[in-house]
């Protein structure tokens, strides 16, 4: 099903969707303000558009968004994982396989090119800090408890009426959330929620959907 | 008329919040230049889309920090429409 991005001004349902999206972005800005980076918002844009194109069958648009996402941030790999799981039984197996290979090739090419260009830069390619994060959580018990309560609330808002939620969103949540939690603990900084930028559009639409 | 007024109100609130968020990435000019010209440390330097776009804006006369600020606003507006597009995908089905 083809679609377009035209925004009409005269439809109240349209206003409701616009308002939900605008409030969602305001929540994003509030939640991810700490240590925010210039590429956090584009990450969420790429994931929201990529998932929408997946659901609508807009393959050419999906690949362009995927390429832009890879140039923006390497975690666009997670979009390929959602593609692999969601499209497994919804697509010709051969097309599915080559689709994954193509996305993997694009990601590797972009990543290798960027790593070559910036080989001389200071720092390391990954920050591996699970023990430091556990220590940080242990040293701030009240903040950790609030953190856990927040996650529980988000989880509840997403999984209520689970079977009535769209299949793509359920798949994306099931794939992205555990991986994001793992990345947060192992590669992120304690209490720095930016790592969840990829899954935010999915969580928001799941949480506020009727 | 009511709908247009509501949208204007939402946009104003939205722009205020995004401005406050942008203050977190609205670096002082020397550091903004470092971000735009790829002088950050790894792994942050690998994320080249926004610095690349910022360099394009600098070619139009923007300073580095202004270019990054503009990109934050454009990204935030883009995210509104992206989330709306995602949400409407499932309303059509």
């Amino acid at each position: 099903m083809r679609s377009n991005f035209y925004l009409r001004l005269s439809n109240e349902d349209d206003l409701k969707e616009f308002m939900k999206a605008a409030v969602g972005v305001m929540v994003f800005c509030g939640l991810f303000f700490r240590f925010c980076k210039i590429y956090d918002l584009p990450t969420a844009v790429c994931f929201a558009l990529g998932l929408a194109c997946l659901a609508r069958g807009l393959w050419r648009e999906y690949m362009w968004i995927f390429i832009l996402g890879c140039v923006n941030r390497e975690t666009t790999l997670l979009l390929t994982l959602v593609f692999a799981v969601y499209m497994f039984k919804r697509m010709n197996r051969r097309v599915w396989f080559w689709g994954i290979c193509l996305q993997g090739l694009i990601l590797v090419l972009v990543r290798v090119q960027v790593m070559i260009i910036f080989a001389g830069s200071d720092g390391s390619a990954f920050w591996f800090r699970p023990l430091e994060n556990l220590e940080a959580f242990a040293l701030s018990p009240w903040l950790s408890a609030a953190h856990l309560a927040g996650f529980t609330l988000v989880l509840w808002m997403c999984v209520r009426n689970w079977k009535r939620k769209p299949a793509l969103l359920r798949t994306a949540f099931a794939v992205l959330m555990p991986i994001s939690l793992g990345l947060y603990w192992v590669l992120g900084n304690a209490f720095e929620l930016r790592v969840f930028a990829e899954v935010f559009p999915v969580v928001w639409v799941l949480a506020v959907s009727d | 008329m009511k709908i247009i007024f509501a949208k204007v109100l939402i946009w104003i609130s939205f722009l205020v919040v995004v401005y406050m968020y942008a203050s977190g990435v609205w670096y002082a000019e020397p550091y903004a230049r470092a971000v735009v010209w790829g002088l950050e440390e790894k792994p942050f330097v690998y994320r080249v889309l926004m610095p690349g776009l910022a360099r394009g804006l600098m070619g139009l006369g923007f300073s580095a920090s202004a270019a990054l600020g503009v990109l934050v606003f454009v990204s935030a507006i883009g995210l509104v429409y992206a989330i709306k597009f995602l949400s409407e995908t499932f309303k059509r089905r």
Side-chain angles (χ1 to χ4, degrees):
Chain A
M1 186 192 294
R2 308 296 299 187
S3 179
N4 60 56
F5 293 90
Y6 179 65
L7 175 63
R8 299 183 311 277
L9 290 174
S10 61
N11 184 320
E12 287 210 18
D13 278 344
D14 189 68
L15 175 64
K16 196 165 101 172
E17 290 302 319
F18 177 80
M19 192 172 74
K20 280 198 258 184
V23 170
V25 176
M26 288 192 260
V27 169
F28 182 102
C29 292
L31 278 179
F32 302 150
F33 177 74
R34 196 166 183 240
F35 304 117
C36 57
K37 296 287 185 191
I38 188 72
Y39 47 76
D40 292 339
L41 281 163
T43 299
V45 171
C46 288
F47 269 75
L49 288 179
L51 291 171
C53 289
L54 255 188
R56 296 178 187 230
L58 303 175
W59 304 118
R60 190 166 36 205
E61 289 83 349
Y62 173 80
M63 289 312 299
W64 280 114
I65 290 163
F66 182 82
I67 292 169
L68 275 178
C70 288
V71 176
N72 181 62
R73 195 169 175 185
E74 67 280 358
T75 50
T76 309
L77 168 68
L78 298 175
L79 207 48
T80 304
L81 295 179
V82 176
F83 172 94
V85 174
Y86 181 69
M87 299 309 298
F88 182 65
K89 287 189 177 171
R90 292 178 172 84
M91 186 178 247
N92 173 279
R93 198 57 56 84
R94 184 177 288 189
V95 174
W96 173 84
F97 175 75
W98 286 114
I100 294 172
C101 289
L102 180 59
Q103 290 172 69
L105 181 66
I106 290 168
L107 184 72
V108 166
L109 284 175
V110 170
R111 180 72 173 181
V112 166
Q113 189 65 29
V114 165
M115 288 178 82
I116 289 171
I117 291 170
F118 295 107
S121 297
D122 293 333
S124 60
F126 299 100
W127 280 3
F128 193 70
R129 37 180 299 128
L131 296 178
E132 290 87 341
N133 287 333
L134 282 176
E135 190 182 343
F137 289 132
L139 288 173
S140 307
W142 287 111
L143 192 53
S144 297
H147 219 46
L148 191 60
F151 274 116
T152 307
L153 176 65
V154 165
L155 190 65
W156 173 76
M157 288 179 74
C158 290
V159 303
R160 60 191 177 121
N161 300 320
W162 181 251
K163 288 200 172 135
R164 285 168 46 191
K165 301 278 166 83
L168 174 69
L169 293 181
R170 284 187 281 153
T171 305
F173 184 81
V175 171
L176 295 176
M177 193 50 121
I179 294 175
S180 295
L181 283 169
L183 290 175
Y184 175 49
W185 170 46
V186 172
L187 299 177
N189 281 321
F191 309 117
E192 188 179 315
L193 299 175
R194 298 186 306 109
V195 71
F196 297 101
E198 289 86 356
V199 74
F200 180 85
V202 175
V203 165
W204 183 254
V205 175
L206 276 173
V208 302
S209 60
D210 298 329
Chain B
M1 197 65 195
K2 185 174 76 172
I3 288 171
I4 293 174
F5 176 74
K7 276 199 165 163
V8 167
L9 199 61
I10 291 165
W11 271 115
I12 290 171
S13 317
F14 171 80
L15 290 173
V16 167
V17 171
V18 173
Y19 179 81
M20 289 164 64
Y21 175 85
S23 66
V25 293
W26 215 313
Y27 310 118
E29 187 64 15
Y31 188 65
R33 285 183 170 266
V35 169
V36 169
W37 292 109
L39 299 175
E40 285 189 287
E41 62 174 5
K42 293 183 276 198
F44 307 109
V45 74
Y46 292 151
R47 288 95 193 234
V48 298
L49 178 65
M50 297 296 265
L53 291 173
R55 284 201 292 278
L57 286 178
M58 286 176 72
L60 296 175
F62 286 84
S63 66
S65 60
L68 292 178
V70 164
L71 287 174
V72 168
F73 273 91
V74 169
S75 302
I77 293 167
L79 185 55
V80 171
Y81 286 99
I83 290 178
K84 187 174 178 295
F85 187 54
L86 178 62
S87 176
E88 285 175 341
T89 301
F90 309 105
K91 285 197 175 295
R92 286 166 179 263
R93 288 167 182 259

